[in-house]
Amino acid sequence: MPAQAPRTLFDKIWAAHVVDTLPDGTALLYIDLHLTHEVTTPQAFEGLRAAGRKVRRPEATLAVVDHNIATDETRRTGIGDAESRLQVETLERNVSEFGVPYIPLLDDRQGIVHIIGPELGRSLPGMTIVCGDSHTSTHGAMGALAFGIGTSEVEHVLATQTLLQKPAKNMRVSVDGDLAFGCSAKDIVLAIIGKIGTAGGTGHVVEYAGDAIRALDMAGRMTVCNMSIEGGARAGMIAPDQTTFDYIARTPYGPKGEALEGALRWWRTLPSDEGARFDREVTLDAHAIAPQVTWGTSPEDVLPITGTVPDPDEAGDEARRAQLHRMMEYMGLQPGQRLQDLPVDVVFIGSCTNSRIEDIRAAAAVARGRKVAEGVRALVVPGSGLVKKQAEREGLDRILREAGFEWREAGCSMCLGMNPDKLKPGQRCASTSNRNFEGRQGQGGRTHLLSPAMAAAAALAGKLADVRDWQPKGTA
Amino acid sequence: MQAFTTLTGVAAPLPMANVDTDKIIPARFLKSISRTGFGQNLFYTLRFREDGAENPDFVLNQPAYRKAEVLIAFENFGCGSSREHAPWALLDFGIRCVIAPDFADIFHNNCFKNGILPVRLPREVCETLMDDARLGGNARLTVDLERQVVVRPSGEEIPFDVDPLRKHLLLNGLDDIGQTLQHAGAIDSFETRRKAEQPWLAG
Ligand code: SF4
């Protein structure tokens, strides 16, 4: 047998899923796991119905509601907004008609689709995973090829369990060295996006590598992969290793016993081979990363918390200057303003980027024994019912509540202005979510993206703050 | 899906980079369960003022561009959320072609599935077309998918690239699913093989 050229993690997973290749090189790619939620599926199920088609493999599909729902006690009494209610009811009707497994709103396992896939042990190494949601890249942290698709493609996967895809290019982002004091996975990924820009990964699948990535726990890896799309990448992934395998062993539905042994044998062959070729390489020094915060309306507009708002007139070309001026106006900022002086109205700790138990622990560690600043509304929204229960077992809800944070039910919440948790026009928010686009958290809302610990510090300070000045009490 | 062959129409200039899909259609308008009706909320925050009145400065509110069928923009058009509601909103408004230096991947995909042609052309060419578009209703562009050219009002032809499979599907208004189901046999055997080799995936 001829020796095979060294391959990347992406190449291997891709090759293992090609069902057929069309004459022009387009692959028919097999999809192992299809996650669905209420917003991007109604038209897909409607399409199936109109064409008299079935869901090919309901058991490879999982549905949950997350975007539209309330995160307070009103979820028990029914969804107030008629359109949101119709969308949720439509999903419920579709899953029962097509036989798709569904986690209902009041189930303990309910949560944000990208939190529950890995948490339940459904998202596994070597898989192809899709969802009608751009943050599907999150599941790449498991060592899977996971990417977001549109509704037409959702319908295509439901009907055929495949997608028509052109291979992506390989890009490697290596982060080496020890992460500096006060920094977390969120700071790494914001720094990466600041470096490569929001279109930096277009057409590529990014593999995150380097010892700073290896050192992250699964939650941190998911945070990094989650924001791959904010760097324009089709997907982000991290090679599976012992950290991954230990995590899977603790999940309720992950393979066990003999099945796990078989799976492990394959999973261990997945990491990129020595000498594999990447079309693009980027490196960062972990130690040089300081706690990050975005100031503009694109995730690439990010600075260390010690920074000041830039001067648009110093930007190179006219289009960029115009864009910066618009951003400043929208964000209510002046050139030269210190980021640390910006008062916040709302703090949001949640979203598929940062709502795992580790994120809540990080926020609670900072909040413990302190108080949310007067006039600030601070929400903590666990990513799933299981995360919520775990946090309550650890007493984190009590610490946060005593500090003045709201402790909510699981859902997308204030990550996007689609459910009752919204910013009001002009409100400034320190948010652990992933997008700071105009109006993302509610019309006219002003978003600053940062890590959970930084968000907690902002809640206590009443303004953007350097978490290094807010170290946990009583643990020194 | 509606086929796309040749289109001659008014092009609207939108000289912005990184137009994200939240900007094309904000999240609060995604609650409909149908594919139509999104056009009225296209570019909502740019198009309407806070009191709900039209913003006369926004290009699509100007008389010359109310019936625009082509949109010219700058880099990274359609970035952000995967929402197919973005092309649905463009289509519902009447836009059948977007020309930009590059597009975000998912949005680019979604356009083809809905009979919208995304055309990638270098930044300088987009700037030239932007200038043409600024001439308003008198300066119609032609986009000819069969011949893969954009024809400027001056008659100059600008060639563009398009993936052959996508071109074929779009020219004929074909649905991908029908195409894929011709491979049903290959999918069956793939599944049988995987089930034997990787039983933990059985679900
Ligand atoms: S938390 Fe935000 S980014 Fe994540 S799936 Fe929900 S809306 Fe999308």
Side-chain angles (χ1 to χ4, degrees), chain B residues 15-38:
Chain B
M16 295 170 100
N18 297 323
V19 173
D20 58 73
T21 53
D22 277 82
K23 198 168 269 157
I24 298 173
I25 181 99
R28 64 186 182 285
F29 300 121
L30 308 187
K31 295 183 182 185
S32 162
I33 56 169
S34 95
R35 282 177 196 252
T36 52
F38 294 103

Side-chain angles (χ1 to χ4, degrees), chain A residues 380-392:
Chain A
V380 184
V381 188
S384 72
L386 297 180
V387 170
K388 180 166 189 263
K389 283 214 147 155
Q390 178 63 28
E392 288 171 356

Side-chain angles (χ1 to χ4, degrees), chain B:
Chain B
M1 186 182 80
Q2 198 185 344
F4 186 107
T5 50
T6 290
L7 167 73
T8 298
V10 171
L14 188 69
M16 295 170 100
N18 297 323
V19 173
D20 58 73
T21 53
D22 277 82
K23 198 168 269 157
I24 298 173
I25 181 99
R28 64 186 182 285
F29 300 121
L30 308 187
K31 295 183 182 185
S32 162
I33 56 169
S34 95
R35 282 177 196 252
T36 52
F38 294 103
Q40 55 182 323
N41 297 318
L42 175 71
F43 293 120
Y44 190 88
T45 40
L46 297 171
R47 213 161 127 211
F48 300 99
R49 295 190 189 279
E50 252 164 56
D51 61 3
E54 275 191 6
N55 173 4
D57 298 335
F58 183 62
V59 60
L60 296 180
N61 290 332
Q62 293 162 11
Y65 300 106
R66 283 183 176 268
K67 293 211 155 58
E69 292 174 90
V70 180
L71 199 62
I72 321 270
F74 289 147
E75 288 80 6
N76 201 25
F77 190 89
C79 60
S81 154
S82 66
R83 61 189 66 161
E84 200 159 317
H85 312 69
W88 294 338
L90 288 166
L91 192 66
D92 197 55
F93 181 88
I95 306 273
R96 296 290 315 276
C97 173
V98 185
I99 303 177
D102 53 52
F103 295 86
D105 289 324
I106 306 177
F107 176 82
H108 190 251
N109 254 335
N110 285 342
C111 283
F112 283 103
K113 314 280 181 195
N114 291 284
I116 297 179
L117 177 65
V119 176
R120 284 194 189 108
L121 287 171
R123 168 84 186 214
E124 315 81 71
V125 180
C126 289
E127 280 172 6
T128 307
L129 293 174
M130 195 77 76
D131 289 338
D132 286 344
R134 287 194 177 104
L135 301 174
N138 304 325
R140 296 154 87 84
L141 287 185
T142 295
V143 184
D144 183 338
L145 175 58
E146 178 67 59
R147 293 173 51 234
Q148 294 184 216
V149 287
V150 175
V151 188
R152 294 183 56 198
S154 65
E156 185 197 345
E157 298 199 340
I158 300 168
F160 62 86
D161 280 337
V162 58
D163 178 275
L165 175 67
R166 286 176 157 159
K167 177 177 173 179
H168 169 75
L169 294 171
L170 202 51
L171 277 175
N172 297 290
L174 292 178
D175 149 21
D176 289 6
I177 299 180
Q179 156 98 21
T180 297
L181 287 173
Q182 295 171 5
H183 301 258
I187 303 174
D188 288 340
S189 35
F190 183 91
E191 280 180 349
T192 313
R193 186 161 51 84
R194 295 262 295 169
K195 209 167 183 167
E197 287 171 6
Q198 303 187 355
W200 65 90
L201 289 175

Side-chain angles (χ1 to χ4, degrees), chain A residues 66-67 112-114 133 135 351-352 412 415-416 434 440:
Chain A
D66 54 7
H67 283 64
I112 305 170
V113 65
H114 308 309
D133 194 286
H135 292 100
S351 89
C352 57
C412 292
C415 177
L416 91 171
N434 44 46
R440 170 74 182 182

Side-chain angles (χ1 to χ4, degrees), chain A residues 200-224:
Chain A
T202 304
H204 292 78
V205 165
V206 174
E207 180 175 345
Y208 300 96
D211 46 25
I213 300 290
R214 290 259 81 85
L216 293 174
D217 58 18
M218 290 313 290
R221 295 179 187 191
M222 288 182 222
T223 300
V224 171

Side-chain angles (χ1 to χ4, degrees), chain A residues 126-461:
Chain A
M127 274 187 162
T128 45
I129 303 173
V130 297
C131 173
D133 194 286
S134 59
H135 292 100
T136 310
S137 58
T138 313
H139 310 258
M142 304 300 299
L145 173 61
F147 52 95
I149 56 179
T151 297
S152 296
E153 291 176 312
V154 168
E155 184 181 338
H156 193 280
V157 177
L158 289 171
T160 71
Q161 206 58 40
T162 64
L163 271 179
L164 290 166
Q165 287 279 307
K166 276 273 170 67
K169 286 189 264 187
N170 280 291
M171 174 164 166
R172 180 161 57 192
V173 176
S174 304
V175 190
D176 282 301
D178 292 332
L179 206 49
F181 171 67
C183 289
S184 70
K186 185 64 164 283
D187 303 296
I188 296 182
V189 72
L190 287 171
I192 292 172
I193 295 162
K195 179 157 177 160
I196 68 172
T198 51
T202 304
H204 292 78
V205 165
V206 174
E207 180 175 345
Y208 300 96
D211 46 25
I213 300 290
R214 290 259 81 85
L216 293 174
D217 58 18
M218 290 313 290
R221 295 179 187 191
M222 288 182 222
T223 300
V224 171
C225 288
N226 174 272
M227 290 193 71
S228 301
I229 187 76
E230 266 59 63
R234 269 202 221 170
M237 57 206 313
I238 295 174
D241 59 10
Q242 201 54 45
T243 305
T244 324
F245 308 146
D246 292 346
Y247 175 93
I248 293 166
R250 292 192 302 269
T251 61
Y253 304 121
K256 305 271 182 280
E258 215 175 297
L260 180 60
E261 290 308 312
L264 281 168
R265 271 195 295 282
W266 186 52
W267 295 346
R268 292 206 167 99
T269 68
L270 290 174
S272 294
D273 299 328
E274 195 70 39
R277 206 185 75 80
F278 288 87
D279 301 281
R280 193 168 167 214
E281 294 254 19
V282 173
T283 55
L284 273 84
D285 171 9
H287 199 73
I289 299 172
Q292 304 279 304
V293 59
T294 64
W295 59 269
T297 56
S298 168
E300 70 187 13
D301 300 310
V302 65
L303 284 169
I305 181 66
T306 48
T308 54
V309 177
D311 185 349
D313 293 328
E314 284 169 13
D317 67 290
E318 199 193 323
R320 176 72 179 154
R321 277 200 293 278
Q323 194 190 2
L324 290 177
H325 275 294
R326 184 179 162 88
M327 266 185 206
M328 299 278 185
E329 193 189 317
Y330 182 84
M331 291 297 291
L333 298 174
Q334 299 299 326
Q337 252 178 318
R338 272 164 42 97
L339 293 172
Q340 285 183 81
D341 292 339
L342 294 175
V344 297
D345 306 294
V346 179
V347 172
F348 171 58
I349 298 175
S351 89
C352 57
T353 316
N354 285 122
S355 63
R356 283 165 282 268
I357 186 69
E358 294 81 354
D359 300 313
I360 295 174
R361 284 181 194 138
V366 174
R368 176 184 219 115
R370 295 180 168 133
K371 288 275 180 243
V372 170
E374 181 98 3
V376 173
R377 178 180 181 209
L379 291 84
V380 184
V381 188
S384 72
L386 297 180
V387 170
K388 180 166 189 263
K389 283 214 147 155
Q390 178 63 28
E392 288 171 356
R393 270 197 294 275
E394 296 178 19
L396 304 178
D397 61 318
R398 199 176 33 77
I399 295 172
L400 288 162
R401 267 198 262 239
E402 277 172 12
F405 289 81
E406 296 175 30
W407 179 245
R408 315 281 292 199
E409 304 277 347
C412 292
S413 183
M414 207 180 267
C415 177
L416 91 171
M418 192 164 188
N419 59 67
D421 304 337
K422 273 188 215 169
L423 292 182
K424 297 192 186 81
Q427 279 188 326
R428 190 178 297 284
C429 178
S431 175
T432 67
S433 56
N434 44 46
R435 290 201 171 122
N436 52 357
F437 300 155
E438 285 182 26
R440 170 74 182 182
Q441 294 189 285
Q443 198 176 358
R446 296 164 170 167
T447 304
H448 296 273
L449 303 174
L450 33 54
S451 74
M454 284 279 285
L460 305 170

